[in-house]
Amino acid sequence: FDHKKVLVIFVLGGPGAGKGTQSANLVKDYGFVHLSAGDLLRAEQSRPDSLYGALIQSHIREGTIVPMHVTLHLLEEAMRAALDAHAHPVGEAGGGAGGGGEEGKGWAGGRGWEEGRGRFLIDGFPRKMDQAVRFDKSVCKSGFVLFLSTTESVLLHRLTERSKTSGREDDNPLSISKRFRTFVETSMPVVEAYRRRGKVVELDASPEVGLVYEKIRIAVDAALA
Ligand code: UP5
Ligand code: MG
């Protein structure tokens, strides 16, 4: 994708930091197209004829990173579907942003498209250095990174609460501790690499949702200006 036509903002942060919650807020106010790498992987996992169902399931349960070609393919496909829907709006059909659920909706009507540029929020990706390098090289040069930071005890509390209703296979104590380890060992180096390039906007994700979002809005307005 031509980065003059496509702006990509990554939303990163530990498991339970609020990536999905705050991305949904941003979609409402800015009309970005939101793609959650985790949601795309879970959708692919439950597709009956998927070649990767078992592979994805085992990585998600173990809190490890699914091989990059699988995730990159899903993201590229979803981005292409969103751009196609914009280029060829067909009635109200839309929603073609692929697996991610509701968020792709409305794209064809012009949302997510600012001054001739498609604007994507990609949440939970890249979480390993090889993915970051490959995405920048062969998919699209990323714009900036919103990094939601908080403590492990805050994350644990949120995930434990969510586990009562989420039905997510990785919301259990063993998977949660594995996800934390992968985040620290494998995903933080990605954040640090972007930080060295001056691409990271870091926000404290510990306060309540509305307060965190106020700060995010200020940061996004500044970054887009
Ligand atoms: N909540 C949110 N914000 C709050 C706040 N400020 N105050 C109080 N509560 C708050 O939020 C989590 C919970 O906290 C919710 O109940 C929310 O209401 C509450 P959410 O917005 O869901 O946080 P999020 O950061 O999105 O948490 P999630 O669990 O989705 O993060 P993960 O990074 O663990 O999960 P993801 O879906 O991105 O990835 C899952 C797995 O997929 C990975 O472990 C990995 O195995 C695999 N994966 C890859 O292999 N490659 C990829 O590129 C991506 C994923
Ligand atoms: Mg999420």
Side-chain angles (χ1 to χ4, degrees), residues 52-127:
Y52 302 112
L55 176 80
I56 293 172
Q57 183 177 38
S58 86
H59 280 288
I60 285 185
R61 222 186 260 150
E62 293 303 310
T64 48
I65 314 288
V66 175
M68 113 178 125
H69 71 274
V70 176
T71 315
L72 270 172
H73 174 74
L74 293 171
L75 278 172
E76 251 185 292
E77 218 176 40
M79 287 176 71
R80 202 167 304 283
L83 290 170
D84 283 351
H86 177 79
H88 312 285
V90 187
E92 292 282 286
E102 293 276 271
E103 290 87 350
K105 208 167 59 177
W107 166 272
R111 279 161 62 80
W113 191 268
E114 195 75 11
E115 291 158 12
R117 210 172 180 212
R119 304 194 301 180
F120 292 88
L121 269 186
I122 300 189
D123 126 31
F125 175 96
R127 51 217 291 159

Side-chain angles (χ1 to χ4, degrees), residues 11-24 34 36-42 56-68 71-72 75 122-128 131 148 154-155 157-163 165-166 168 170-171 175-176 178-180 182-183 187 204-213:
V11 184
L12 298 178
K19 300 183 293 295
T21 304
Q22 300 297 354
S23 295
H34 171 214
S36 155
D39 286 349
L40 289 169
L41 287 166
R42 283 182 286 274
I56 293 172
Q57 183 177 38
S58 86
H59 280 288
I60 285 185
R61 222 186 260 150
E62 293 303 310
T64 48
I65 314 288
V66 175
M68 113 178 125
T71 315
L72 270 172
L75 278 172
I122 300 189
D123 126 31
F125 175 96
R127 51 217 291 159
K128 196 172 172 184
Q131 297 176 328
L148 304 180
V154 167
L155 298 176
H157 177 73
R158 288 183 189 168
L159 293 177
T160 307
E161 279 302 305
R162 193 183 64 181
S163 71
T165 53
S166 71
R168 267 178 55 165
D170 56 351
D171 278 351
S175 295
I176 289 172
K178 291 175 174 174
R179 288 155 72 194
F180 284 172
T182 302
F183 176 69
S187 304
D204 179 10
S206 321
E208 58 161 280
V209 175
L211 288 177
V212 176
Y213 184 54

